[in-house]
Amino acid sequence: MDYPNSVPSVGLVDGRFVDENPVAGTPGSLIPAVWGNSVTQEILSVITGGGLVASEADNGQLFKAIQAIVEGASPMRSVITRLAATKTLSEQELGLVLIDGSPGAVTLTLPAANAALGVRDVIVRRVDNSGSRMVIQATGTDRIRFHTHLSPSGYTFFVLMGGGDWWHLRSDGGGSWWPIGRFDNTPLGRPFFETTVLLSPGGYGALNGAVMNRAEWPWLWDHAQRSGMLNTEATRAGNEGNWTPGDGALTFRGPELRGEFLRVLDEGRNVDINRIMGTNQAGTVHSYAMGAGGAGAVGSRWSDSLSAVGAQTHESQTWVKPANGGPIYPAGTNYQQDAANTLLYTFTSRPRNVAYPGRIKVI
């Protein structure tokens, strides 16, 4: 619209309105009908475009319409949707989606990320802390572009794990949803110690060597295959820190680290020589002998052997009393009496330690 430059009318100067001048005897502007109707129609177009029905008695409609139009044009609309069952989201429900999985497993399917939807945002947030599986699924051939270092096209779904876990997604109008924020961006596969026996939100599992379904955890299976730590199921004993292919078709197995100490891999430094990542190492065995009947000086037959590694039976925890009636030796020691009645003490050393639950990032 513009000033009524092209509409001849009394009182207009270069198409602009002027006041009446009684001294000069010039009249004030008279608004041409064509211009007045045009202005009115411009305003009505905004009002109806904002989804309102024009009302002569409502003087705030233009402002309300502008608010609605701006909100509709924003990828992140001020809409809150609550659900507790499987469903497909409509375009009108995009915004903040609060999902309760306590009644059971939930699958939430996103709208098609096509040109009709355009650029839209959605935040999906889990509100319960039950063990129910909660899946956020893309429609048809759409993809959710996360962990693209493992799969350039992303994946067709992801899971929300733990109360408060959330992902912020944006559609691109071309078949993809892109994560632009999430509760926890810790890299996939990273191990942690925790100060709680509960599983924290954000995508964590226990470091317990669990067997998992490849179809349910495809990104983690991709990670395992590219990790350089995928061992065989047949040689798992002694290599429990590695991944294995499970049944070779439908499952795979994660690392087992319960009750273990972690050591940094040597990687060519030659301090912990010939170690393969994911393998375990028994505690170092120390030993010394005392004279006949226990009367000799400690260390009189010293045979300390820091390089002698014991069997893969981990640490024994026993109290024993020698056959010759000697003293009871501390927990964690064993003894042996040779032909000369000499006592040989052996023990597996370990540092003082605190036991914390181990966790691994699984998405």
Side-chain angles (χ1 to χ4, degrees):
M1 63 172 291
D2 197 359
Y3 287 97
N5 295 307
S6 62
V7 183
S9 183
V10 177
L12 293 176
V13 176
D14 296 328
R16 295 177 180 268
F17 301 105
V18 296
D19 293 327
E20 177 184 6
N21 189 338
V23 176
T26 55
S29 301
L30 298 178
I31 298 175
V34 66
W35 186 85
N37 291 335
S38 175
V39 170
T40 302
Q41 187 56 53
E42 290 266 9
I43 297 173
L44 286 174
S45 295
V46 176
I47 291 172
T48 57
L52 283 71
V53 177
S55 171
E56 189 176 355
D58 189 347
N59 293 328
Q61 284 193 301
L62 181 60
F63 177 67
K64 295 174 187 175
I66 292 173
Q67 282 185 312
I69 292 170
V70 170
E71 181 184 285
S74 171
M76 191 72 234
R77 300 187 182 183
S78 300
V79 176
I80 298 179
T81 300
R82 293 178 173 84
L83 57 95
T86 294
K87 73 166 298 182
T88 297
L89 278 182
S90 67
E91 177 184 349
Q92 290 71 31
E93 292 171 314
L94 293 178
L96 174 61
V97 182
L98 303 176
I99 316 166
D100 183 2
S102 56
V106 174
T107 296
L108 177 68
T109 302
L110 301 169
N114 53 27
L117 181 68
V119 179
R120 290 293 305 277
D121 282 24
V122 63
I123 296 175
V124 287
R125 181 178 179 125
R126 181 167 191 157
V127 299
D128 70 288
N129 204 31
S130 70
S132 300
R133 184 173 172 86
M134 186 174 292
V135 175
I136 310 301
Q137 179 79 47
T139 296
T141 59
D142 286 359
R143 307 286 284 189
I144 304 168
R145 303 278 184 147
F146 70 101
H147 293 331
T148 52
H149 66 293
L150 299 173
S151 174
S153 62
Y155 297 88
T156 59
F157 71 94
F158 64 91
V159 293
L160 291 175
M161 300 181 66
D165 192 14
W166 59 267
W167 287 45
H168 184 175
L169 307 172
R170 177 167 294 170
S171 63
D172 63 2
S176 295
W177 289 90
W178 296 83
I180 58 176
R182 58 177 292 192
F183 178 84
D184 192 329
N185 280 312
T186 300
L188 184 68
R190 183 163 293 182
F192 282 90
F193 286 123
E194 266 289 5
T195 56
T196 171
V197 295
L198 301 177
L199 290 176
S200 298
Y204 291 89
L207 274 164
N208 59 2
V211 175
M212 291 171 276
N213 190 308
R214 298 183 188 185
E216 293 182 352
W217 304 96
W219 49 86
L220 194 58
W221 172 232
D222 286 344
H223 169 79
Q225 293 178 93
R226 297 193 182 192
S227 67
M229 297 180 63
L230 184 63
N231 208 346
T232 65
E233 193 72 29
T235 58
R236 180 170 175 78
N239 297 283
E240 290 90 345
N242 284 314
W243 304 88
T244 67
D247 65 3
L250 301 178
T251 66
F252 68 103
R253 190 193 297 267
E256 167 66 274
L257 294 182
R258 290 174 297 177
E260 303 283 5
F261 293 101
L262 299 183
R263 184 173 188 174
V264 177
L265 187 66
D266 187 281
E267 294 191 282
R269 190 185 178 197
N270 294 325
V271 173
D272 187 24
I273 302 172
N274 298 325
R275 290 294 302 282
I276 299 174
M277 51 188 170
T279 59
N280 65 39
Q281 182 183 65
T284 303
V285 173
H286 304 264
S287 62
Y288 66 89
M290 294 185 69
V298 174
S300 63
R301 292 190 177 182
W302 182 256
S303 57
D304 182 52
S305 179
L306 290 175
S307 61
V309 178
Q312 297 279 29
T313 55
H314 304 285
E315 300 154 357
S316 58
Q317 299 272 347
T318 59
W319 289 74
V320 296
K321 185 175 181 64
N324 68 346
I328 294 177
Y329 299 102
T333 66
N334 296 312
Y335 81 96
Q336 174 183 327
Q337 188 172 11
D338 65 16
N341 204 30
T342 299
L343 296 179
L344 176 65
Y345 302 88
T346 65
F347 60 94
T348 304
S349 64
R350 69 179 175 198
R352 175 173 175 161
N353 60 86
V354 175
Y356 275 160
R359 301 290 181 255
I360 185 172
K361 195 72 160 59
V362 295
I363 183 171

mmCIF file of all heavy atoms in Angstrom, residues 196-221:
data_model
loop_
_atom_site.group_PDB
_atom_site.id
_atom_site.type_symbol
_atom_site.label_atom_id
_atom_site.label_comp_id
_atom_site.label_asym_id
_atom_site.label_seq_id
_atom_site.Cartn_x
_atom_site.Cartn_y
_atom_site.Cartn_z
ATOM 1 N N THR A 196 26.185 -43.291 42.142
ATOM 2 C CA THR A 196 24.837 -43.767 42.382
ATOM 3 C C THR A 196 24.664 -45.109 41.688
ATOM 4 O O THR A 196 25.247 -45.334 40.621
ATOM 5 C CB THR A 196 23.783 -42.769 41.858
ATOM 6 O OG1 THR A 196 22.478 -43.360 41.928
ATOM 7 C CG2 THR A 196 24.056 -42.382 40.409
ATOM 8 N N VAL A 197 23.872 -45.987 42.297
ATOM 9 C CA VAL A 197 23.615 -47.274 41.658
ATOM 10 C C VAL A 197 22.489 -47.160 40.630
ATOM 11 O O VAL A 197 22.248 -48.097 39.865
ATOM 12 C CB VAL A 197 23.248 -48.355 42.701
ATOM 13 C CG1 VAL A 197 24.431 -48.615 43.613
ATOM 14 C CG2 VAL A 197 22.023 -47.933 43.514
ATOM 15 N N LEU A 198 21.809 -45.998 40.591
ATOM 16 C CA LEU A 198 20.790 -45.778 39.577
ATOM 17 C C LEU A 198 21.446 -45.412 38.260
ATOM 18 O O LEU A 198 22.562 -44.883 38.230
ATOM 19 C CB LEU A 198 19.843 -44.655 40.015
ATOM 20 C CG LEU A 198 19.092 -44.873 41.323
ATOM 21 C CD1 LEU A 198 18.246 -43.635 41.659
ATOM 22 C CD2 LEU A 198 18.210 -46.105 41.245
ATOM 23 N N LEU A 199 20.753 -45.675 37.156
ATOM 24 C CA LEU A 199 21.258 -45.280 35.847
ATOM 25 C C LEU A 199 20.871 -43.827 35.595
ATOM 26 O O LEU A 199 19.697 -43.466 35.637
ATOM 27 C CB LEU A 199 20.676 -46.178 34.753
ATOM 28 C CG LEU A 199 21.190 -47.620 34.752
ATOM 29 C CD1 LEU A 199 20.460 -48.440 33.695
ATOM 30 C CD2 LEU A 199 22.689 -47.674 34.513
ATOM 31 N N SER A 200 21.864 -42.981 35.363
ATOM 32 C CA SER A 200 21.611 -41.558 35.140
ATOM 33 C C SER A 200 20.967 -41.335 33.776
ATOM 34 O O SER A 200 21.189 -42.107 32.838
ATOM 35 C CB SER A 200 22.921 -40.775 35.232
ATOM 36 O OG SER A 200 23.488 -40.907 36.517
ATOM 37 N N PRO A 201 20.164 -40.254 33.633
ATOM 38 C CA PRO A 201 19.564 -39.957 32.327
ATOM 39 C C PRO A 201 20.615 -39.539 31.309
ATOM 40 O O PRO A 201 21.720 -39.151 31.667
ATOM 41 C CB PRO A 201 18.606 -38.806 32.650
ATOM 42 C CG PRO A 201 19.170 -38.163 33.867
ATOM 43 C CD PRO A 201 19.776 -39.279 34.667
ATOM 44 N N GLY A 202 20.269 -39.627 30.049
ATOM 45 C CA GLY A 202 21.165 -39.182 29.000
ATOM 46 C C GLY A 202 21.710 -40.292 28.127
ATOM 47 O O GLY A 202 22.415 -40.024 27.159
ATOM 48 N N GLY A 203 21.416 -41.566 28.472
ATOM 49 C CA GLY A 203 21.838 -42.653 27.596
ATOM 50 C C GLY A 203 22.961 -43.503 28.128
ATOM 51 O O GLY A 203 23.966 -43.712 27.440
ATOM 52 N N TYR A 204 22.840 -44.016 29.343
ATOM 53 C CA TYR A 204 23.884 -44.824 29.961
ATOM 54 C C TYR A 204 23.397 -46.236 30.259
ATOM 55 O O TYR A 204 22.223 -46.457 30.547
ATOM 56 C CB TYR A 204 24.370 -44.170 31.263
ATOM 57 C CG TYR A 204 25.133 -42.905 31.017
ATOM 58 C CD1 TYR A 204 24.474 -41.682 30.942
ATOM 59 C CD2 TYR A 204 26.513 -42.927 30.830
ATOM 60 C CE1 TYR A 204 25.167 -40.500 30.698
ATOM 61 C CE2 TYR A 204 27.221 -41.761 30.585
ATOM 62 C CZ TYR A 204 26.541 -40.549 30.516
ATOM 63 O OH TYR A 204 27.229 -39.396 30.260
ATOM 64 N N GLY A 205 24.318 -47.194 30.197
ATOM 65 C CA GLY A 205 24.051 -48.567 30.567
ATOM 66 C C GLY A 205 25.122 -49.056 31.506
ATOM 67 O O GLY A 205 26.142 -48.384 31.718
ATOM 68 N N ALA A 206 24.917 -50.232 32.096
ATOM 69 C CA ALA A 206 25.902 -50.812 33.007
ATOM 70 C C ALA A 206 27.028 -51.475 32.219
ATOM 71 O O ALA A 206 26.815 -52.003 31.126
ATOM 72 C CB ALA A 206 25.222 -51.836 33.918
ATOM 73 N N LEU A 207 28.228 -51.448 32.792
ATOM 74 C CA LEU A 207 29.391 -52.112 32.178
ATOM 75 C C LEU A 207 29.410 -53.573 32.611
ATOM 76 O O LEU A 207 30.307 -54.021 33.333
ATOM 77 C CB LEU A 207 30.681 -51.403 32.600
ATOM 78 C CG LEU A 207 31.096 -50.211 31.745
ATOM 79 C CD1 LEU A 207 32.141 -49.376 32.466
ATOM 80 C CD2 LEU A 207 31.619 -50.672 30.403
ATOM 81 N N ASN A 208 28.398 -54.325 32.191
ATOM 82 C CA ASN A 208 28.196 -55.675 32.709
ATOM 83 C C ASN A 208 28.228 -56.754 31.635
ATOM 84 O O ASN A 208 27.768 -57.869 31.855
ATOM 85 C CB ASN A 208 26.868 -55.741 33.461
ATOM 86 C CG ASN A 208 25.683 -55.379 32.566
ATOM 87 O OD1 ASN A 208 25.844 -55.109 31.374
ATOM 88 N ND2 ASN A 208 24.496 -55.369 33.140
ATOM 89 N N GLY A 209 28.763 -56.440 30.460
ATOM 90 C CA GLY A 209 28.866 -57.444 29.412
ATOM 91 C C GLY A 209 27.533 -57.916 28.882
ATOM 92 O O GLY A 209 27.405 -59.060 28.433
ATOM 93 N N ALA A 210 26.532 -57.032 28.911
ATOM 94 C CA ALA A 210 25.180 -57.426 28.503
ATOM 95 C C ALA A 210 25.122 -57.759 27.014
ATOM 96 O O ALA A 210 25.812 -57.153 26.187
ATOM 97 C CB ALA A 210 24.193 -56.301 28.808
ATOM 98 N N VAL A 211 24.267 -58.735 26.690
ATOM 99 C CA VAL A 211 23.986 -59.065 25.297
ATOM 100 C C VAL A 211 22.860 -58.159 24.816
ATOM 101 O O VAL A 211 21.806 -58.056 25.449
ATOM 102 C CB VAL A 211 23.574 -60.542 25.155
ATOM 103 C CG1 VAL A 211 23.170 -60.849 23.715
ATOM 104 C CG2 VAL A 211 24.725 -61.443 25.590
ATOM 105 N N MET A 212 23.084 -57.469 23.678
ATOM 106 C CA MET A 212 22.125 -56.496 23.160
ATOM 107 C C MET A 212 21.677 -56.868 21.755
ATOM 108 O O MET A 212 22.391 -57.549 21.024
ATOM 109 C CB MET A 212 22.739 -55.095 23.179
ATOM 110 C CG MET A 212 22.935 -54.538 24.580
ATOM 111 S SD MET A 212 23.894 -53.007 24.620
ATOM 112 C CE MET A 212 25.553 -53.671 24.597
ATOM 113 N N ASN A 213 20.513 -56.373 21.390
ATOM 114 C CA ASN A 213 19.936 -56.620 20.076
ATOM 115 C C ASN A 213 20.479 -55.588 19.081
ATOM 116 O O ASN A 213 20.387 -54.386 19.323
ATOM 117 C CB ASN A 213 18.410 -56.536 20.170
ATOM 118 C CG ASN A 213 17.724 -57.001 18.916
ATOM 119 O OD1 ASN A 213 18.027 -56.555 17.823
ATOM 120 N ND2 ASN A 213 16.771 -57.903 19.065
ATOM 121 N N ARG A 214 21.036 -56.047 17.976
ATOM 122 C CA ARG A 214 21.608 -55.121 16.990
ATOM 123 C C ARG A 214 20.564 -54.178 16.411
ATOM 124 O O ARG A 214 20.862 -53.012 16.119
ATOM 125 C CB ARG A 214 22.265 -55.913 15.855
ATOM 126 C CG ARG A 214 23.421 -56.786 16.301
ATOM 127 C CD ARG A 214 24.073 -57.497 15.117
ATOM 128 N NE ARG A 214 25.060 -58.481 15.559
ATOM 129 C CZ ARG A 214 25.831 -59.173 14.751
ATOM 130 N NH1 ARG A 214 25.727 -58.998 13.438
ATOM 131 N NH2 ARG A 214 26.689 -60.055 15.240
ATOM 132 N N ALA A 215 19.332 -54.668 16.229
ATOM 133 C CA ALA A 215 18.276 -53.834 15.658
ATOM 134 C C ALA A 215 17.831 -52.743 16.620
ATOM 135 O O ALA A 215 17.372 -51.679 16.196
ATOM 136 C CB ALA A 215 17.081 -54.698 15.262
ATOM 137 N N GLU A 216 17.970 -52.979 17.922
ATOM 138 C CA GLU A 216 17.552 -51.996 18.923
ATOM 139 C C GLU A 216 18.653 -50.998 19.253
ATOM 140 O O GLU A 216 18.368 -49.898 19.724
ATOM 141 C CB GLU A 216 17.118 -52.708 20.203
ATOM 142 C CG GLU A 216 15.843 -53.526 20.039
ATOM 143 C CD GLU A 216 15.424 -54.187 21.340
ATOM 144 O OE1 GLU A 216 16.206 -54.124 22.327
ATOM 145 O OE2 GLU A 216 14.324 -54.768 21.384
ATOM 146 N N TRP A 217 19.899 -51.343 18.991
ATOM 147 C CA TRP A 217 21.044 -50.473 19.292
ATOM 148 C C TRP A 217 21.980 -50.415 18.086
ATOM 149 O O TRP A 217 23.171 -50.725 18.192
ATOM 150 C CB TRP A 217 21.794 -50.992 20.521
ATOM 151 C CG TRP A 217 20.920 -51.135 21.724
ATOM 152 C CD1 TRP A 217 20.297 -52.262 22.152
ATOM 153 C CD2 TRP A 217 20.538 -50.090 22.628
ATOM 154 N NE1 TRP A 217 19.563 -51.998 23.278
ATOM 155 C CE2 TRP A 217 19.680 -50.675 23.594
ATOM 156 C CE3 TRP A 217 20.841 -48.729 22.717
ATOM 157 C CZ2 TRP A 217 19.129 -49.946 24.630
ATOM 158 C CZ3 TRP A 217 20.280 -48.002 23.756
ATOM 159 C CH2 TRP A 217 19.438 -48.601 24.692
ATOM 160 N N PRO A 218 21.487 -50.012 16.909
ATOM 161 C CA PRO A 218 22.323 -50.067 15.703
ATOM 162 C C PRO A 218 23.542 -49.159 15.760
ATOM 163 O O PRO A 218 24.608 -49.515 15.228
ATOM 164 C CB PRO A 218 21.358 -49.637 14.587
ATOM 165 C CG PRO A 218 20.295 -48.847 15.280
ATOM 166 C CD PRO A 218 20.143 -49.487 16.627
ATOM 167 N N TRP A 219 23.436 -47.982 16.374
ATOM 168 C CA TRP A 219 24.571 -47.069 16.468
ATOM 169 C C TRP A 219 25.666 -47.644 17.368
ATOM 170 O O TRP A 219 26.844 -47.480 17.088
ATOM 171 C CB TRP A 219 24.106 -45.707 16.987
ATOM 172 C CG TRP A 219 23.261 -45.811 18.218
ATOM 173 C CD1 TRP A 219 23.682 -45.876 19.520
ATOM 174 C CD2 TRP A 219 21.830 -45.929 18.250
ATOM 175 N NE1 TRP A 219 22.616 -46.022 20.356
ATOM 176 C CE2 TRP A 219 21.468 -46.042 19.618
ATOM 177 C CE3 TRP A 219 20.835 -45.916 17.283
ATOM 178 C CZ2 TRP A 219 20.139 -46.164 20.021
ATOM 179 C CZ3 TRP A 219 19.517 -46.039 17.683
ATOM 180 C CH2 TRP A 219 19.170 -46.156 19.042
ATOM 181 N N LEU A 220 25.268 -48.359 18.441
ATOM 182 C CA LEU A 220 26.262 -48.939 19.339
ATOM 183 C C LEU A 220 26.953 -50.131 18.677
ATOM 184 O O LEU A 220 28.151 -50.360 18.867
ATOM 185 C CB LEU A 220 25.590 -49.359 20.649
ATOM 186 C CG LEU A 220 26.514 -49.668 21.826
ATOM 187 C CD1 LEU A 220 27.395 -48.469 22.154
ATOM 188 C CD2 LEU A 220 25.719 -50.082 23.055
ATOM 189 N N TRP A 221 26.216 -50.892 17.874
ATOM 190 C CA TRP A 221 26.814 -51.994 17.121
ATOM 191 C C TRP A 221 27.777 -51.446 16.078
ATOM 192 O O TRP A 221 28.869 -51.996 15.874
ATOM 193 C CB TRP A 221 25.721 -52.839 16.482
ATOM 194 C CG TRP A 221 26.201 -53.900 15.526
ATOM 195 C CD1 TRP A 221 25.770 -54.093 14.251
ATOM 196 C CD2 TRP A 221 27.197 -54.910 15.751
ATOM 197 N NE1 TRP A 221 26.425 -55.154 13.660
ATOM 198 C CE2 TRP A 221 27.324 -55.678 14.573
ATOM 199 C CE3 TRP A 221 28.006 -55.229 16.834
ATOM 200 C CZ2 TRP A 221 28.209 -56.739 14.449
ATOM 201 C CZ3 TRP A 221 28.908 -56.297 16.712
ATOM 202 C CH2 TRP A 221 28.988 -57.037 15.523
#
